[in-house]
């Protein structure tokens, strides 16, 4: 695999969004910015977001929507790697933000959902109906850990509702190519679950031994933590993998699991771009790099891209 480094010196990058002109816009969690990595390698700050911008997705109005964890991490240097640390005293909760890409203007769309104040929103994905699903990762303190869920919200600010609960540190979220399945990864359990959808913001499901009603797609063995995700054009769920740094790709039936190793133990996210959507872009957050490489299958063109 030929790996190309597109940018370095980033402050814990995440949430990459690839554009047709070769630019990639991503968040820098530890810097609090939305940043453009130009096709020529130039870095430009699009917006100063504050807190901890954790995920980004292009909305139906051409604006960028941000899941902001509110600055729920302190930052440690471990052997030259940037590692998320303890919750700082300044953290008060998270939000959903909207960024006008033309002006860099930032507005706050949601700080609460139907379940109460947002804790630490992490990742989001838009559907074809003007709404988006997002995970609330929550926070972990010395002797306690949030139980949080998955929310559905509208881009116009009129609805934000928790629809799936409880989950343990839900992180990456994605939709199947036909929009009939919602996927989410739990970080510390190393599991990916899915739920059938009957419509926009409508989850099917019934009684389940698992309280949140999800179906297990895959559970990874050993010490592997799961971060954010993208779904490719053939429906494989492609998840940024921590400790065993790389991208873990899971077939739609869960029968096949492939791991693409990358040179960082903190690979946090992936997106697809290029003319044929076979170029994968991955955020190597511990070392602060954005890299690209060829993906074995076509990517999935996201809504509004």
């Amino acid at each position: 695999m030929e790996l190309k480094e597109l940018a370095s010196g980033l402050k814990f990058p995440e949430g990459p969004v690839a554009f047709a002109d070769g630019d990639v816009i991503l968040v820098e969690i530890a810097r609090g910015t939305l940043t453009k990595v130009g096709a020529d390698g130039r870095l430009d700050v699009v917006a100063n977001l504050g807190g901890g911008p954790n995920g980004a997705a292009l909305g139906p109005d051409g604006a960028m929507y941000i899941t902001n964890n509110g600055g729920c991490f302190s930052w440690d240097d471990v052997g030259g790697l940037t590692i998320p640390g303890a919750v700082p005293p300044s953290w008060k909760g998270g939000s959903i933000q909207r960024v006008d890409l033309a002006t860099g203007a930032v507005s706050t769309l949601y700080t609460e959902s139907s379940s109460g104040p947002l804790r630490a929103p992490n990742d989001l994905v838009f559907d074809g109906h003007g709404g988006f699903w997002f995970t609330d990762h929550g926070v972990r303190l010395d002797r306690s850990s949030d139980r949080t869920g998955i929310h559905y919200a509208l881009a116009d600010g009129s609805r934000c509702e928790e629809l799936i609960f409880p989950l343990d540190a839900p992180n990456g979220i994605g939709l199947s190519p036909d929009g009939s399945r919602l996927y989410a990864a739990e970080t510390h359990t190393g599991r990916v679950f899915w739920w059938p959808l009957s419509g926009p913001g409508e989850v099917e499901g019934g009684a389940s031994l698992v309280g949140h009603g999800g179906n297990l797609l895959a559970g990874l063995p050993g010490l592997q933590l799961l971060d954010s995700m993208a779904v490719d054009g053939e429906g494989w769920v492609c998840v940024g993998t921590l400790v065993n740094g790389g991208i873990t790709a899971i077939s739609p039936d869960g029968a096949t699991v492939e791991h693409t190793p990358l040179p960082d133990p903190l690979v946090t996210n992936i997106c697809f771009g290029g003319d044929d959507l076979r170029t994968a872009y991955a955020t190597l957050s511990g070392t602060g790099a954005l890299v690209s490489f060829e993906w074995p299958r076509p990517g999935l063109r996201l809504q509004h891209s």
Side-chain angles (χ1 to χ4, degrees), residues 105-201:
V106 181
S107 56
T108 298
L109 195 63
Y110 298 106
T111 58
E112 294 189 353
S113 186
S114 60
S115 54
L118 296 174
R119 298 288 283 170
N122 188 285
D123 193 18
L124 73 163
V125 63
F126 272 91
D127 62 17
H129 305 278
F132 59 95
W133 296 91
F134 71 92
T135 54
D136 190 332
H137 188 63
V139 300
R140 274 131 295 281
L141 304 176
D142 286 345
R143 293 185 179 272
S144 65
S145 177
D146 282 344
R147 302 197 81 192
T148 50
I150 296 174
H151 305 251
Y152 185 77
L154 297 182
D156 63 5
S158 64
R159 176 189 177 190
C160 187
E161 184 177 2
E162 184 181 68
L163 295 179
I164 299 172
F165 175 86
L167 288 160
D168 294 303
N171 195 316
I173 193 162
L175 290 165
S176 62
D178 65 359
S180 68
R181 278 188 177 189
L182 178 71
Y183 295 102
E186 288 185 329
T187 297
H188 304 107
T189 67
R191 294 176 182 146
V192 177
F193 293 95
W194 66 271
W195 295 261
L197 301 179
S198 56

Side-chain angles (χ1 to χ4, degrees), residues 90-112:
S90 58
W91 176 81
K92 302 298 182 185
S95 65
I96 305 296
Q97 298 170 304
R98 177 188 180 276
V99 179
D100 185 319
L101 294 180
T103 66
V106 181
S107 56
T108 298
L109 195 63
Y110 298 106
T111 58
E112 294 189 353

Side-chain angles (χ1 to χ4, degrees), residues 207-275:
S208 169
L209 292 177
V210 181
H212 54 64
N215 303 277
L216 182 67
L217 182 71
L220 300 191
L223 183 57
Q224 303 187 75
L225 311 182
L226 294 179
D227 210 289
S228 294
M229 70 168 66
V231 179
D232 72 21
E234 294 183 13
W236 287 60
V237 180
C238 311
V239 193
T241 307
L242 312 176
V243 185
N244 183 23
I247 301 296
T248 300
I250 307 160
S251 62
D253 61 2
T256 304
V257 179
E258 300 175 350
H259 182 77
T260 301
L262 293 170
D264 190 315
L266 297 174
V267 178
T268 55
N269 209 342
I270 181 173
C271 73
F272 300 104
D275 293 339

Side-chain angles (χ1 to χ4, degrees), residues 58-63 65 126 130-131 155 304:
L58 200 62
D61 55 357
Y65 288 75
F126 272 91
H304 322 302

